[in-house]
Amino acid sequence: MINLAMKLVEKRLREGTASSAETTHFLKLATTKADLEKKKLEEENKLLRAKTETLENAKNSEELYANAIKAMRKYNGLGEDDEYVDN
């Protein structure tokens, strides 16, 4: 549907019958401001992906620490049900 609409507007632009709204839309897309807004959105998406990755890494680190603590308790002769007593 989008492709059909784009082809129709392209045809109107070529024939000189496009509405002022159609013409203005495409003129705005060619501005520096539109380019900067697009780049800003791309950078925001990168930031969100990085934040998501950081959160996932933090979760993995927590699991690794928990497993390491369990392993150390077993190594020290403490069972999972035993409580660690600090002397």
Side-chain angles (χ1 to χ4, degrees), residues 3-86:
N3 190 29
L4 289 173
M6 293 294 287
K7 285 182 179 180
L8 177 61
V9 174
E10 180 182 358
K11 179 183 174 198
R12 288 181 185 170
L13 285 168
R14 291 186 189 280
E15 294 173 350
T17 59
S19 69
S20 61
E22 291 169 330
T23 304
T24 304
H25 171 73
F26 286 99
L27 287 173
K28 284 182 180 179
L29 289 178
T31 64
T32 303
K33 181 180 177 183
D35 189 45
L36 290 172
E37 287 174 351
K38 180 182 175 186
K39 288 178 183 176
K40 179 184 174 190
L41 287 173
E42 289 171 354
E43 293 301 317
E44 287 174 352
N45 284 334
K46 286 181 190 177
L47 179 62
L48 287 174
R49 282 192 289 277
K51 285 181 179 181
T52 300
E53 187 177 324
T54 300
L55 290 173
E56 289 172 356
N57 289 339
K59 181 180 174 184
N60 291 340
S61 293
E62 287 177 19
E63 291 174 6
L64 287 173
Y65 288 132
N67 290 337
I69 290 170
K70 282 183 186 177
M72 285 186 235
R73 284 184 178 164
K74 282 186 180 180
Y75 180 76
N76 287 328
L78 297 174
E80 289 185 19
D81 295 334
D82 295 338
E83 295 225 3
Y84 178 73
V85 178
D86 189 18

